[in-house]
Amino acid sequence: MRYWLFKSEPSSWSWDDQVAKGDGGQEWDGVRNYQARNVMREMAVGDRGFFYHSQSDKAVVGIVEVTAEAHPDSTDDSGKWACVDIKAVAPLPRPVTLAEIKDTPDLADMALVNNTRLSVQPVSPEAWARICAMGGLDDP
DNA sequence: GCCAACGTTGGC
DNA sequence: GCCAACGTTGGC
């Protein structure tokens, strides 16, 4: 299994919105960035991801699971863009903030830190385990 | 609200 | 194909 991170502005799509969708999942649509699209094309059903709130929160707030591989983005008419579907799995007992991540030397090479504008990004197994532990999840 | 970083667009 | 201009994102 591989790990990922999905970034969203809470004002446009928040963790609560994602939870409200339930197990049916939800298209991660609206991505108009080639790098992010290519990352989504690598995802497989069952992969896990962090749900990150940008802007006001700047924190990892929950765990999501990929429920559908990359497919055409239904909000796109050009046929260029793709997205996966994800569902909420569990909130982090304690959100892990960007400041904490930056303060953790082992996490310094995360795209979240050095490629801040990439909205969908891979997460190493080490970083995954570390952030889960920081968030109060012993068994991710 | 500002600004830095970065991606995209369009003129040449 | 280069590069300047512009738009967008996201941290502060």
Side-chain angles (χ1 to χ4, degrees), chain A residues 35-130:
Chain A
Q35 234 186 316
R37 184 198 65 183
N38 293 343
V39 170
M40 286 197 286
R41 283 182 171 167
E42 294 181 36
M43 296 181 184
V45 172
D47 280 356
R48 296 262 161 133
F50 288 129
F51 194 104
Y52 175 83
H53 275 169
S54 65
Q55 310 271 82
S56 50
D57 267 14
K58 282 167 294 188
V60 176
V61 294
I63 307 290
V64 295
E65 182 176 314
V66 176
T67 59
E69 286 182 15
H71 56 81
D73 185 331
S74 68
T75 66
D76 166 50
D77 291 332
S78 73
K80 278 199 310 188
W81 302 107
C83 62
V84 296
D85 293 1
I86 62 174
K87 68 172 182 181
V89 173
L92 281 189
R94 209 180 60 78
V96 177
T97 66
L98 179 63
E100 289 176 87
I101 290 170
K102 283 185 167 177
D103 280 346
T104 307
D106 289 348
L107 301 176
D109 59 352
M110 284 187 75
L112 193 64
V113 176
N114 55 38
N115 191 357
T116 58
R117 295 189 50 200
L118 185 59
S119 61
V120 181
Q121 48 188 262
V123 173
S124 72
E126 294 78 16
W128 179 265
R130 188 65 179 270

